[in-house]
Amino acid sequence: MSFGSLNDFIILNTFLDEVKMISAGRLPEETFLRTIKLINQEFPTLDENDSLRVLNLLMQMYNQNNEEKIELVLTAPPSFNLRAKRTEDVVDELLQSARVSITMTGYSVSEYIKDFLDVIINKSQKGVFVKIFINKVDEQNAIEKLIAHKGRFLKIYNYSNETDKMAALHAKVISIDNERTLVSSANLSYHGMSANIEMGCVIQSKKIADKINEVFKNLIFGKVFTEI
């Protein structure tokens, strides 16, 4: 049994699509019915156990190529020559790469990131499921365009603690496709992206992304956030 044909390419891409659908909760865990069907069509002499072994090999290869990785991300004045990825570039790359989902938080959002907001809207209109958690929506004029486009694939949640006016959604997180997550001190603003000294990291880890999504799911369930 050899790999390298067009059909093998189709099997591999079907497998990757199903992995992402499972990660996004759109398929039951450990369901690869389309992939197994294609394997059986391409290799009709294989029995059920052999087909499952091929699927298991694909999973092992996928896991080896998706090991957890952490990279440093910095914001600093442009004159600083730092050997690390810059926050603004990382945010742009993450949003542009999203194919399944975007989870994002904003403590302070300014007009400086309007291009990023356009990308988010465009992604949602193409079926990428976007959840944005904003601190005190009424004070964030820059997201009016986002609010105008909210709908099935673009959900916006507000945090406003009426019992403690000093409490805030202060987390700065962008999680993409349930795989890669930026955790940073940088706000979604000019200073956060370009002028301040900010530090964070990009984490490639499905486990971490799952935990972050679970945190926000529980906060929604507990009515800490209100969908607008």
Side-chain angles (χ1 to χ4, degrees):
M1 181 174 63
S2 61
F3 287 87
S5 70
L6 176 60
N7 287 342
D8 299 335
F9 178 79
I10 293 172
I11 290 171
L12 178 59
N13 278 274
T14 300
F15 166 77
L16 293 175
D17 286 343
E18 291 196 303
V19 168
K20 291 190 177 296
M21 291 176 72
I22 290 170
S23 298
R26 297 181 182 178
L27 283 178
E29 193 170 353
E30 299 181 356
T31 299
F32 290 92
L33 298 181
R34 290 171 55 208
T35 304
I36 292 174
K37 182 179 179 180
L38 289 172
I39 291 171
N40 290 336
Q41 289 175 351
E42 178 67 1
F43 308 106
T45 60
L46 297 181
D47 61 23
E48 182 179 352
N49 288 334
D50 287 334
S51 296
L52 290 175
R53 286 176 61 193
V54 173
L55 178 63
N56 187 51
L57 286 172
L58 288 172
M59 183 61 72
Q60 290 181 31
M61 292 168 60
Y62 175 83
N63 289 336
Q64 288 175 0
N65 290 328
N66 289 274
E67 293 178 351
E68 295 186 356
K69 300 175 184 176
I70 300 176
E71 294 182 273
L72 182 64
V73 179
L74 295 176
T75 298
S79 59
F80 288 179
N81 184 17
L82 302 174
R83 293 187 177 182
K85 292 185 175 181
R86 292 188 175 269
T87 305
E88 188 169 9
D89 295 337
V90 171
V91 172
D92 182 52
E93 191 275 325
L94 285 172
L95 295 177
Q96 296 284 359
S97 70
R99 295 189 294 171
V100 177
S101 63
I102 299 171
T103 299
M104 189 171 184
T105 67
Y107 168 71
S108 176
V109 185
S110 78
E111 287 290 338
Y112 181 77
I113 66 151
K114 65 181 188 308
D115 289 343
F116 291 158
L117 300 184
D118 287 341
V119 172
I120 291 168
I121 292 168
N122 181 260
K123 289 288 183 177
S124 70
Q125 291 173 340
K126 293 181 178 179
V128 175
F129 187 51
V130 181
K131 292 182 292 184
I132 301 181
F133 299 84
I134 299 291
N135 187 66
K136 299 178 181 177
V137 166
D138 294 342
E139 299 178 8
Q140 310 284 354
N141 295 330
I143 68 164
E144 289 180 357
K145 190 173 183 179
L146 274 183
I147 294 173
H149 287 83
K150 66 185 177 69
R152 180 182 175 188
F153 290 99
L154 176 53
K155 305 290 185 181
I156 302 174
Y157 298 88
N158 180 46
Y159 177 83
S160 181
N161 191 326
E162 297 301 326
T163 60
D164 184 352
K165 299 297 184 180
M166 295 299 292
L169 166 63
H170 210 249
K172 291 91 173 180
V173 175
I174 301 175
S175 190
I176 303 297
D177 294 346
N178 212 40
E179 292 179 350
R180 290 194 296 159
T181 304
L182 171 65
V183 180
S184 173
S185 62
N187 285 318
L188 297 170
S189 63
Y190 165 73
H191 287 94
M193 295 290 107
S194 296
N196 287 352
I197 305 296
E198 308 281 1
M199 189 175 296
C201 57
V202 173
I203 307 166
Q204 180 168 305
S205 168
K206 184 180 182 302
K207 290 181 181 179
I208 295 297
D210 283 342
K211 289 180 180 179
I212 289 171
N213 284 327
E214 188 66 24
V215 167
F216 284 107
K217 187 184 298 182
N218 289 335
L219 290 172
I220 293 171
F221 183 77
K223 298 182 179 180
V224 176
F225 289 102
T226 304
E227 184 176 354
I228 67 168

